[in-house]
Every structure is written in structure tokens, then in C-alpha cells.
Amino acid sequence: VVTDESGRVRLGEKWDFSTGRAQSEMTLYANFLPNPTLTVVGGNEPVEYSYEPGYTRNEPTSAPESSGNTFYGYYEDADFTVPFTWPYTFTTEDKTIYARFIPGVWTIVRTPAEFRSAVNRSASADIYLDADLDFTGEAWPAVAAFDGTIEGNGHTIANIGYAITQSRINTENFALFGTLGDGAVIRDVTFSDCDVTFAATSGARHNAALLVWRLSAGAALENVTVTGTLTDVTENAAIVVNLFGLCAEAEEGSSIIDCDYTGVTLIPRT
């Protein structure tokens, strides 16, 4: 038996069990190789997955965690320039990938359905928009009150169709967003080609807006662009309806910064 400096047996010719025949007593030596490891770094602690070469691993159902941050995705490099793609087939080499996190606790939204789910689940949701959203054929959620944050990241929410009806039961919040509460922020997003209608059925006078009905003290609209139409379809000529492009009421202490609603057309009833 020949060993190397570490005492490991130096292996000779590999034994072929399908063709090899023992002519006398002999000793076979098993060669064990460590399974390659896929290591995910960047979270609270590294996460390792180890399988034999050739095994294909799907994306884990549990994302990496980082205290006070939101997992965004897996990347090939520490600078987060090349996304890592699952499934991964293990080779004979170890591999390290990198978990990217967004500071803060967010709900990442990439589809209209995810947007609806986020605002319906919590009026104080903090939404991180990660794609343009096209609401063609999609229902807009009735957002009577919103106290969270929409971080638009320069994306566009387009083609919203929404019909608002005032009644003795529904007496306020006549806009895509009803009341933005203290601390609520909508930032860096475009609402494009919106088609909103308003119909009053009772009362003497009402205000309706395309985007926000009431901006409470402490709420903010920042770098928001709105285009589209707001149409009064009230049938009772005795009811006065005032239409607003961006916001019907802004309380003292609220803020509107770098917003553009010149692309909104207000259409009173004829």
C-alpha cells in the first residue's frame, strides 16, 4: 500500500465491477469525494446547500434573511450586476452566490395582482414597485385609506379604469386613493392613461379627484406624474361636482413636491 504525505492511500487503476475478476484475495479502496457546496452569502449568516455533482437544485422556498431588510434576489457577483438563475446543477466545484437586500421592510410588487394583494392586505403596506404595471383588463383595488409608502422607483402604473359612485353609504374618498394618512408617501411613480369616472347620486356638492381625495397632514406626494381623464357622469343636474386632477384636498402639513398633472383632462358633465 502506497500512501501520500497525509497518509491517504495513493489510488491506482479504478476497478471495473462489470468486467473485473478477482484471481485471488484482494483489497479494494473506496475513493470518497466531498460533495460540492453552493453557498449563499449576504444575509444574517451563510446558507449552504451540498449535493453530489449533477444534482439539480430548484430555488429554495425560504429566502435568506437580513435583519431589518427585505430580500430582493440572488446574484452571481458581490456587486449585484449579474442575476443568478435557478435551477442550479451542481458541478464538481464549490460555488458562492450573493443575496441582495433592500434596506427596510417592503412588499416587492411586480404585477397588478401583487399590487392589489398588498393594498388589500394592509392599509399601511410599504410597497416597493419593481416593474411597470399595466392594469388593462385588471381591477383597481378600492383604496379608501392608505397609510403606507409606495416607492415607485421610476416605474409606471398604466391604464387604470375605475368607476366611483357616491351614495348615502359611500360619502367620501372619491379618487384612486381616498385618504392618505399621516406619514403616507407616494413617491417617484407615474400613473399613466387613467380613465376614472365619478357619479353622485345624492347630496348637494361633492369633490372628486383622479389620484388622491384627501392628503392628510404629514402625508406626501413626491415626484408623481399623472395623466388621463376624470369624467363627471352624475345624472342629477342639481348636484354640484368639483373635479381635481391630482388632489381634491391637501391639509396643512401635507406636502406635494415635483408633481405633474398637466396631462390630466377633467371632463364635467354635459
Side-chain angles (χ1 to χ4, degrees), residues 198-248:
F198 174 73
T201 63
S202 63
R205 181 184 298 271
H206 299 286
N207 293 336
L210 197 154
L211 188 64
V212 176
W213 190 67
R214 175 184 291 132
L215 199 62
S216 301
L221 298 175
E222 301 175 4
N223 193 27
V224 174
T225 299
V226 186
T227 69
T229 59
L230 172 61
T231 306
D232 177 15
V233 294
T234 301
E235 295 182 355
N236 188 339
I239 300 175
V240 176
V241 174
N242 300 310
L243 302 178
F244 299 84
L246 185 70
C247 178

Side-chain angles (χ1 to χ4, degrees), residues 127-247:
I127 296 172
Y128 188 95
L129 203 60
D130 198 43
D132 294 340
L133 306 184
D134 186 352
F135 271 82
T136 301
E138 299 276 354
W140 178 258
V143 188
F146 184 73
D147 300 317
T149 298
I150 297 177
E151 189 66 63
N153 296 300
H155 289 292
T156 296
I157 301 177
N159 300 312
I160 300 170
Y162 191 49
I164 305 167
T165 301
Q166 176 275 335
S167 67
R168 289 184 173 86
I169 298 174
N170 183 29
T171 60
E172 58 184 7
N173 297 317
F174 306 134
L176 293 178
F177 295 89
T179 298
L180 294 192
D182 181 11
V185 178
I186 300 178
R187 178 191 296 120
D188 197 21
V189 62
T190 295
F191 294 87
S192 174
D193 298 314
C194 303
D195 181 11
V196 178
T197 62
F198 174 73
T201 63
S202 63
R205 181 184 298 271
H206 299 286
N207 293 336
L210 197 154
L211 188 64
V212 176
W213 190 67
R214 175 184 291 132
L215 199 62
S216 301
L221 298 175
E222 301 175 4
N223 193 27
V224 174
T225 299
V226 186
T227 69
T229 59
L230 172 61
T231 306
D232 177 15
V233 294
T234 301
E235 295 182 355
N236 188 339
I239 300 175
V240 176
V241 174
N242 300 310
L243 302 178
F244 299 84
L246 185 70
C247 178

Side-chain angles (χ1 to χ4, degrees), residues 36-93:
T37 298
L38 177 67
T39 303
V40 182
V41 298
N44 289 334
E45 58 186 24
V47 179
E48 294 185 346
Y49 304 96
S50 185
Y51 296 94
E52 64 184 17
Y55 181 85
T56 298
R57 178 69 158 87
N58 290 324
E59 182 173 351
T61 55
S62 298
E65 296 181 350
S66 175
S67 301
N69 301 303
T70 301
F71 175 68
Y72 181 81
Y74 298 95
Y75 285 80
E76 294 273 2
D77 60 308
D79 294 326
F80 309 124
T81 61
V82 181
F84 174 79
T85 303
W86 300 90
Y88 172 71
T89 300
F90 285 77
T91 65
T92 58
E93 303 293 330

